[in-house]
Amino acid sequence: MSRKPELKGRAARLARLLPSGGPRGQAARAPFAFLVVVLLGGGLIGLLVLNSALSEGSFQLDDLKQQTKELTDEEQALQRDIDAYSAPQALQRRARELGMVPGGDPAFLDPDGTVKGSPSPAPAAATPLVLAPEALTATSGGPSAGTPSPYTEPSGPEPASSSTGTAATPTAAATPTPTPTPGR
C-alpha cells in the first residue's frame, strides 16, 4: 500500500498547480510529436529546394563567365585590328593609295592677321587613277592581263592634247557599269 507522501509548504502549493500524470498527459504528446516531424520534413524539403536553386545559379554563373571570356577575346581581337589600322605606317600606306602626298611647310596666322612662316605647296606627285571594282573586272578580261592594281601611276608627263582642241574622253574601261548586288 503505497501512499503518496504528504507535501508541505512550497512543494504542496506547486503540486496543486501542476496537473496530475494521468491519461491526459499521454494525449498531449501526440500532436507535439506530429508537429516536430512536420517541421523537420518541411526543413529538409526547404533545404533541398534551396540547394537545387543554388546549383542552378552556379551553372548560370559558369555560362556567363564563359560568355564573358569569349566577348573579352573578341574585344581584344577587334582592338588589335583597330590598332593595326590606326598605325602610322598603315595610315601612310592608305593615304598614298588614295593619292595623298605629305603637305609642305605650314603657315600660321597671328591674331592681328599677319602670316607667320613661309608657306609652300605640297610636292606634286603622280595622281593615281582609282578604278571601281567593276572597271577592274572589265579590263582584266584578257588572258595576258596580270593582277589588276587598284590604281595606276603615269610613268611620264601628261600627254599634250591634240591641236584640234578636242577634250580627252574617258575610255569604256574607266567608266563604271552598275552591277546588281547579290541578295538584295
Side-chain angles (χ1 to χ4, degrees):
M1 295 205 209
S2 71
R3 270 187 0 158
K4 286 186 180 179
E6 298 249 346
L7 300 174
K8 295 181 184 174
R10 184 181 230 183
R13 278 182 278 164
L14 285 174
R16 276 182 281 183
L17 292 174
L18 294 175
S20 63
R24 192 168 159 217
Q26 292 294 334
R29 288 185 184 167
F32 177 72
F34 181 71
L35 179 65
V36 169
V37 168
V38 167
L39 287 177
L40 285 176
L44 288 175
I45 290 173
L47 190 61
L48 179 66
V49 168
L50 182 65
N51 191 15
S52 63
L54 287 175
S55 66
E56 181 181 344
S58 175
F59 285 128
Q60 288 177 350
L61 182 64
D62 288 342
D63 291 342
L64 290 175
K65 282 182 180 178
Q66 180 66 27
Q67 185 179 5
T68 301
K69 183 181 177 292
E70 291 170 0
L71 289 174
T72 302
D73 291 345
E74 183 179 351
E75 178 190 13
Q76 289 174 352
L78 291 173
Q79 188 62 43
R80 281 193 303 269
D81 290 346
I82 289 171
D83 291 342
Y85 284 126
S86 63
Q89 295 85 7
L91 290 174
Q92 182 183 15
R93 179 184 50 81
R94 285 192 313 226
R96 202 174 303 130
E97 288 173 357
L98 291 173
M100 299 173 117
V101 294
D105 293 331
F108 300 99
L109 292 177
D110 282 335
D112 61 354
T114 60
V115 178
K116 202 179 224 186
S118 58
S120 65
T127 306
L129 175 63
V130 179
L131 298 176
E134 296 86 13
L136 291 175
T137 57
T139 58
S140 63
S144 64
T147 304
S149 172
Y151 66 94
T152 57
E153 295 185 18
S155 58
E158 294 289 326
S161 60
S162 63
S163 61
T164 60
T166 59
T169 58
T171 62
T175 307
T177 58
T179 57
T181 305
R184 289 192 182 183

